[in-house]
Amino acid sequence: MIRRLPPKSRRAGYSLFETLLAFALLAAVLAVLLPGQSQLLKRFSRGSEAVLAQDYTHSLLDLIGLDEAPQPRATQFAYRDWTISQDITAHPEISGFLRVTVTVFDDRGRVLAGGSRDVARGGVLQ
């Protein structure tokens, strides 16, 4: 007795239409998701730049009064693509002290970071 094998299915793989449809769906999903990913990446980049600017601000404030006694003045200088503004003014409430304010601006003029510290005329007040 000879056994017959069941006939092979004519459908051994995907048709060209099914493959094109899958690619079209994938393209549609990626077209929706990629702009959102781009926005997240921009936000992350801005956030990390703000953290770096804040760290730089604190470093500048820590250096005030270490090398020489601070004098009232306003200065601006560039670092990276930032503009750093450093203002040393008389303290509004305590005589004999200065208030040092450091502000970091990005290339568009937006404030990235800022901080202030009270300084005795002879050095940093802790």
Side-chain angles (χ1 to χ4, degrees):
M1 176 174 199
I2 298 177
R3 274 188 166 175
R4 291 192 170 219
L5 296 174
K8 288 187 177 182
S9 171
R10 289 184 179 188
R11 217 178 134 111
Y14 296 106
S15 70
L16 179 61
F17 177 74
E18 291 169 329
T19 306
L20 290 175
L21 184 63
F23 278 124
L25 287 174
L26 179 65
V29 168
L30 288 177
V32 170
L33 291 179
L34 286 180
Q37 294 295 324
S38 173
Q39 290 296 326
L40 286 174
L41 185 61
K42 285 179 186 175
R43 281 190 213 149
F44 175 75
S45 176
R46 271 184 266 159
S48 64
E49 187 173 6
V51 168
L52 184 61
Q54 190 65 39
D55 186 44
Y56 188 73
T57 300
H58 286 297
S59 296
L60 285 178
L61 288 171
D62 286 341
L63 292 175
I64 297 294
L66 292 181
D67 56 350
E68 61 184 45
Q71 298 298 321
R73 67 180 185 269
T75 57
Q76 279 194 343
F77 57 95
Y79 176 73
R80 297 176 52 132
D81 58 347
W82 304 335
T83 302
I84 291 86
S85 171
Q86 186 179 50
D87 296 320
I88 302 175
T89 57
H91 195 286
E93 299 165 359
I94 306 170
S95 64
F97 284 86
L98 301 171
R99 173 153 292 164
V100 179
T101 304
V102 176
T103 309
V104 179
F105 300 95
D106 67 1
D107 55 348
R108 295 182 181 173
R110 295 180 299 187
V111 175
L112 285 175
S116 64
R117 177 164 291 169
D118 296 335
V119 178
R121 291 207 183 258
V124 177
L125 174 67
Q126 295 296 333

